[in-house]
């Protein structure tokens, strides 16, 4: 029985050790100062203005996937990336307490972008669809 258990453990460990992980798709988190962000990442822009900017991890030279929280004297920015592109909710909070929330899909603004004052009161709301501002009259999600 003990021999069978050892054999099973050996087989499982062999399988796990043989599996490769694609670091480009592995979700990670990063927190730090703006200067550290600039040291750890680079932005890769396309010649086509419709293509989103990619966030590239300098160490692996691969597009970054995961959460980023960076701090500067003026603001704290929290963003989500998928394969180097902004994807999901992004929040930028200013030192005066005001903040903006935006949503991205595939690196493009997609959904509501809401500006709040320092008391947390909504000041401005815009809606984007695939990176383009939806005209106010066509915006059915407006209060």
């Amino acid at each position: 029985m003990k021999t069978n258990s050892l054999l099973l453990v050996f087989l499982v460990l062999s399988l796990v050790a043989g599996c490769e992980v694609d670091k480009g798709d592995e979700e990670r988190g990063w927190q730090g100062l703006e200067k550290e962000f600039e040291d750890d990442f680079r932005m890769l822009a396309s010649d086509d203005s419709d293509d989103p900017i990619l966030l590239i991890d300098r160490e692996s030279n691969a597009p970054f996937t995961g959460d980023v929280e960076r701090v500067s004297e003026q603001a704290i920015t929290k963003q989500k990336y998928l394969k180097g592109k902004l994807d999901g909710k992004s929040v930028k909070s200013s030192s005066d307490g005001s903040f903006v929330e935006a949503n991205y899909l595939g690196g493009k603004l997609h959904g509501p972008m809401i500006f709040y004052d320092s008391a947390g009161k909504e000041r401005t709301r815009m809606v984007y669809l695939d990176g383009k501002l939806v005209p106010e009259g066509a915006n059915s999600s407006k209060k």
Side-chain angles (χ1 to χ4, degrees), residues 85-120:
K85 299 175 186 176
L86 282 167
D87 202 89
K89 188 176 187 178
S90 175
V91 180
K92 186 169 189 172
S93 305
S94 298
S95 57
D96 69 359
S98 62
F99 62 102
V100 61
E101 293 179 346
N103 292 280
Y104 289 85
L105 182 62
K108 296 180 181 183
L109 284 165
H110 190 82
M113 175 185 271
I114 308 169
F115 294 82
Y116 296 90
D117 65 17
S118 59

Side-chain angles (χ1 to χ4, degrees), residues 30-138:
W30 185 94
Q31 292 180 312
L33 300 174
E34 188 70 31
K35 174 66 174 124
E36 295 168 325
F37 176 81
E38 293 167 5
D39 291 342
D40 290 349
F41 298 98
R42 65 184 173 91
M43 299 290 201
L44 182 62
S46 168
D47 291 335
D48 184 351
S49 63
D50 285 339
D51 286 343
I53 294 173
L54 291 178
L55 182 66
I56 305 295
D57 181 328
R58 288 186 192 271
E59 185 177 322
S60 67
N61 203 35
F64 181 81
T65 293
D67 296 337
V68 170
E69 181 175 334
R70 56 188 184 193
V71 179
S72 71
E73 288 183 21
Q74 298 84 18
I76 296 174
T77 304
K78 297 178 182 179
Q79 298 172 309
K80 294 182 179 292
Y81 287 87
L82 180 62
K83 296 182 181 179
K85 299 175 186 176
L86 282 167
D87 202 89
K89 188 176 187 178
S90 175
V91 180
K92 186 169 189 172
S93 305
S94 298
S95 57
D96 69 359
S98 62
F99 62 102
V100 61
E101 293 179 346
N103 292 280
Y104 289 85
L105 182 62
K108 296 180 181 183
L109 284 165
H110 190 82
M113 175 185 271
I114 308 169
F115 294 82
Y116 296 90
D117 65 17
S118 59
K121 181 180 175 189
E122 184 177 315
R123 303 308 297 168
T124 305
R125 175 183 291 256
M126 298 180 281
V127 176
Y128 286 83
L129 182 61
D130 197 31
K132 299 194 179 2
L133 183 61
V134 176
E136 193 171 331

